[in-house]
Amino acid sequence: MPVSPAANVLYGLPHSLYTGIARSYLRTQGIAYLELPPAHADFVDRILPTIKRSIIPVLETPDGEIIQDSLDIIDHFERQGVPYPAYPEGPLQSVLAVILQYYGYQAMLRHAMHYRWSYLEQQESFLRHAFATGSDATRAEAIMARMQSYLPALGINAETVPLIERSFEGLLDILEAHFAQHPYLFGGRPSVADYGLIGPMFAHLGRDPVPSDLMKRRSPNVFRWVERMTAPGLDTPDFPGYGSEFIAEDAIPSTLEPLLKHVAEEIFPELTAKFECMDALIEKLQPEDGQPVASKAHQRHVGQVETTFRGAPITSGVAPYSMYILRRADRVLERASDADRSKVQAYLQRFGLDKALPGERGYSVDRRNHVEVWERR
C-alpha cells in the first residue's frame, strides 16, 4: 500500500546502527514520522532507483525530498530549526562533539560488530528474528552472512577480541561516571556526540542480548542514557532542575576527560593511516571535483591500511565517509576567532586529538546525489 505523502517516512530497521541514530533524533525533536522496512514496495520501487544503492536509513519528507544517511537527516532538520539543536554554540564543545560523533559512527563499529557476530551462538534466535523483520528467513540468512564477512576489514581477529572487550568495558566505566552526573554528554540535551554514540550503543550493544546484559549489570547509568536517547523528548526525570542547555561557557566537565583520552587511544594510529591512504589515492588518481570516491555506488571502502588497534596489528578498510564527518570540525574552526581556535587546538593537543581533524589537504569528501564524492578546492 502506498504511503501517505503527509508524513515523514523513515526507511530503516530496529537493529540497524545508523537507523537508530536517525530514529533517536526524530523522537527527541518530536518530529512525526512513519518507519518502514527497506523491503517495503515504496522503497524498492521509488527510493532504490533514486539513491542507487541498498542502504538505510533513508528519509522521505512530505514534499518528496529524499535524504540518505543519518548525519544528513540530522543536518536537514537542524537547518529548519528544532526544539533541541544538536550542535553546541561553543567552538570547543562543537569540535569535540564532532570527534565523538566520528568515534560512534566509525570507530565503534568494531565493538558493535564483534559483540553481535562473535557471540552468534549465544544470541542466534534473537538475531535471526531481528534480521527477518520486514523481510523473510532466506533473505535474512544472506544478509547475516554478508555482515559477518565484514569482520576482518574492521580489524576483528583473535588478537584484537580481548582488546575490544576490555575497551568496551572501560568505555562503560567511563560513561557510567559521567552519566551519574549529567543526562547527556555536554549537558542538558543531546549533541551530535550523543547521536553518534547511540548508534552502536543502542542497536547492537544495548539491544543484542550478550552486550546489553553486560551494560545493564556493569553500568546502569549508561543503560539509562540509552533509554533516554530512544525516548520522546528529553527523558530526564532523574535530573530534576538540570535544564535543557549545554554546559555554560563552552566548558568541558571533568567526567568527560577520561572519554577523550579513551577515544584518542582507540582511533590512533588508525585514523592517521587512513588519511594518508586517501592522500596517496588523490595523488595517484587526481580525481575531478564531484567524482564518486568509488566506482560502484554501494562501495564504501577505497582501500585498506595495515595499522594497529591498541598495539595489535590489524588490516582496516578506508572509508572516505570518515573525512565527511570530521570536516564539520574543521569548519567550526574556520568560523572561530583566532583566540578560540588557539584554545581548541591547545585542548585537543592535551588529549592527543589534534590530528583527528583532517585540516588542509587540498581535497575533501562531500555527498552529492546520495553518494560520497571527492571535493577538490
Side-chain angles (χ1 to χ4, degrees):
M1 179 181 296
V3 178
S4 167
N8 290 292
V9 180
L10 179 67
Y11 293 97
L13 289 166
H15 57 280
S16 159
L17 187 152
Y18 294 105
T19 302
I21 295 168
R23 187 189 304 113
S24 170
Y25 182 85
L26 295 173
R27 287 180 177 177
T28 298
Q29 306 298 348
I31 298 168
Y33 71 98
L34 171 67
E35 185 167 343
L36 295 173
H40 192 276
D42 279 5
F43 187 87
V44 175
D45 296 339
R46 296 191 299 100
I47 305 299
L48 270 180
T50 300
I51 64 175
K52 297 182 174 60
R53 56 180 172 176
S54 182
I55 191 169
I56 52 175
V58 178
L59 184 97
E60 185 174 19
T61 67
D63 61 4
E65 182 178 359
I66 294 173
I67 307 164
Q68 188 277 303
D69 190 74
S70 55
L71 192 157
D72 289 353
I73 291 169
I74 289 173
D75 284 354
H76 167 79
F77 287 107
E78 288 286 308
R79 289 190 294 269
Q80 292 188 349
V82 289
Y84 308 112
Y87 288 94
E89 293 184 3
L92 179 56
Q93 290 181 358
S94 189
V95 166
L96 291 175
V98 171
I99 292 173
L100 292 175
Q101 182 182 31
Y102 161 79
Y103 179 66
Y105 269 62
Q106 295 285 279
M108 283 195 70
L109 286 173
R110 183 168 293 132
H111 307 72
M113 294 290 277
H114 159 63
Y115 276 100
R116 172 160 289 179
W117 300 115
S118 299
Y119 288 96
L120 178 59
E121 184 177 345
Q122 293 93 324
Q123 49 195 16
E124 186 169 4
S125 61
F126 180 86
L127 291 177
R128 289 192 181 283
H129 174 272
F131 277 84
T133 298
S135 182
D136 56 70
T138 301
R139 187 180 180 200
E141 190 73 30
I143 295 173
M144 289 174 69
R146 175 159 53 86
M147 291 294 175
Q148 292 171 69
S149 73
Y150 296 155
L151 267 59
L154 292 170
I156 301 169
N157 56 53
E159 191 170 354
T160 60
V161 161
L163 300 173
I164 294 168
E165 296 196 350
R166 284 200 294 273
S167 165
F168 180 53
E169 291 168 3
L171 177 64
L172 287 177
D173 294 344
I174 291 167
L175 293 176
E176 178 69 8
H178 178 80
F179 290 132
Q181 299 185 36
H182 306 277
Y184 301 100
L185 288 171
F186 288 96
R189 68 173 185 260
S191 69
V192 290
D194 295 88
Y195 293 117
L197 289 187
I198 196 57
M201 292 293 278
F202 167 70
H204 294 60
L205 302 168
R207 191 171 183 273
D208 292 357
V210 171
S212 68
D213 181 63
L214 172 62
M215 183 189 295
K216 291 172 186 176
R217 288 185 291 105
R218 189 180 186 108
S219 303
N221 281 306
V222 179
F223 185 75
R224 177 69 189 103
W225 168 81
V226 171
E227 288 185 322
R228 188 176 301 127
M229 288 293 295
T230 53
L234 301 182
D235 180 25
T236 57
D238 32 359
F239 287 91
Y242 190 103
S244 62
E245 300 302 314
F246 292 124
I247 294 169
E249 299 181 355
D250 206 18
I252 307 302
S254 60
T255 51
L256 210 57
E257 294 186 347
L259 176 61
L260 303 178
K261 182 175 183 293
H262 178 90
V263 168
E265 293 170 348
E266 298 267 291
I267 66 176
F268 296 113
E270 185 177 357
L271 180 58
T272 300
K274 291 180 177 183
F275 283 158
E276 291 172 350
C277 176
M278 284 186 270
D279 291 347
L281 191 63
I282 292 293
E283 180 66 26
K284 177 182 177 181
L285 299 179
Q286 292 295 316
E288 297 181 358
D289 181 69
Q291 182 174 320
V293 300
S295 59
K296 299 178 180 178
H298 70 273
Q299 186 177 336
R300 306 303 297 274
H301 290 173
V302 296
Q304 292 186 324
V305 292
E306 301 297 325
T307 182
T308 61
F309 170 74
R310 291 194 170 271
I314 61 170
T315 300
S316 182
V318 179
Y321 182 68
S322 299
M323 186 174 289
Y324 181 66
I325 300 169
L326 289 166
R327 276 297 183 200
R328 284 165 166 73
D330 280 330
R331 289 197 284 271
V332 170
L333 290 187
E334 289 170 2
R335 297 190 298 266
S337 67
D338 289 345
D340 282 342
R341 192 178 304 117
S342 297
K343 170 189 169 183
V344 172
Q345 290 171 338
Y347 193 88
L348 294 179
Q349 288 170 1
R350 278 183 55 195
F351 298 94
L353 286 170
D354 48 304
K355 292 183 174 58
L357 276 60
E360 181 52 54
R361 311 184 88 88
Y363 71 93
S364 189
V365 176
D366 195 8
R367 182 178 288 114
R368 303 174 193 173
N369 298 318
H370 311 290
V371 296
E372 286 82 39
V373 300
W374 298 117
E375 181 180 65
R376 304 305 303 269
R377 299 182 178 182

